Amino acid sequence: MATSDRVDARAADPAARNASAEQKLAAVNELIPYVLLMRRGPERARFEESIARRIGVSLGALRGEIAVRQRSARISKSWAAADGCAAPRRRRRQANGG
């Protein structure tokens, strides 16, 4: 396990240290949509690291959960388009005013 993947109990929020696994999972699920709004890069990496440190979860587990959520979002978009749920195309106006 890499040093960055270890959870430093001293760095975690005191409330997060005593939180149950369900509470930590709920916090991760609440924050992942905000992570997905960011472009990949150093800012997003720092945000992910701060979330992992603050909640008291491993960075590898957090990034794994983010990757799963990213894949499922892509798949659901492709299924919606395949099922005809995509927005209908606008009709062009006819030149004769109709």
Side-chain angles (χ1 to χ4, degrees), residues 59-80:
L59 183 57
L62 176 66
R63 287 187 171 155
E65 193 62 33
I66 291 168
V68 167
R69 190 77 61 91
Q70 228 168 0
R71 280 193 301 271
S72 67
R74 274 191 234 127
I75 290 170
S76 64
K77 282 181 186 177
S78 66
W79 284 348

Side-chain angles (χ1 to χ4, degrees), residues 1-94:
M1 184 186 311
T3 306
S4 63
D5 286 347
R6 289 197 191 118
V7 177
D8 186 2
R10 292 169 292 149
D13 187 10
R17 263 185 283 177
N18 299 323
S20 68
E22 291 83 9
Q23 291 170 322
K24 291 180 181 186
L25 184 60
V28 167
N29 285 330
E30 193 172 318
L31 292 168
I32 285 178
Y34 297 104
V35 174
L36 294 177
L37 289 174
M38 299 178 76
R39 288 184 178 182
R40 290 184 183 199
E43 292 86 12
R44 179 171 161 173
R46 279 194 297 273
F47 186 50
E48 291 169 352
E49 289 168 4
S50 69
I51 290 171
R53 186 173 42 254
R54 189 82 186 259
I55 294 175
V57 298
S58 77
L59 183 57
L62 176 66
R63 287 187 171 155
E65 193 62 33
I66 291 168
V68 167
R69 190 77 61 91
Q70 228 168 0
R71 280 193 301 271
S72 67
R74 274 191 234 127
I75 290 170
S76 64
K77 282 181 186 177
S78 66
W79 284 348
D83 288 342
C85 295
R89 291 187 177 166
R90 288 186 162 185
R91 289 179 148 180
R92 290 179 130 183
R93 284 192 182 173
Q94 295 178 354

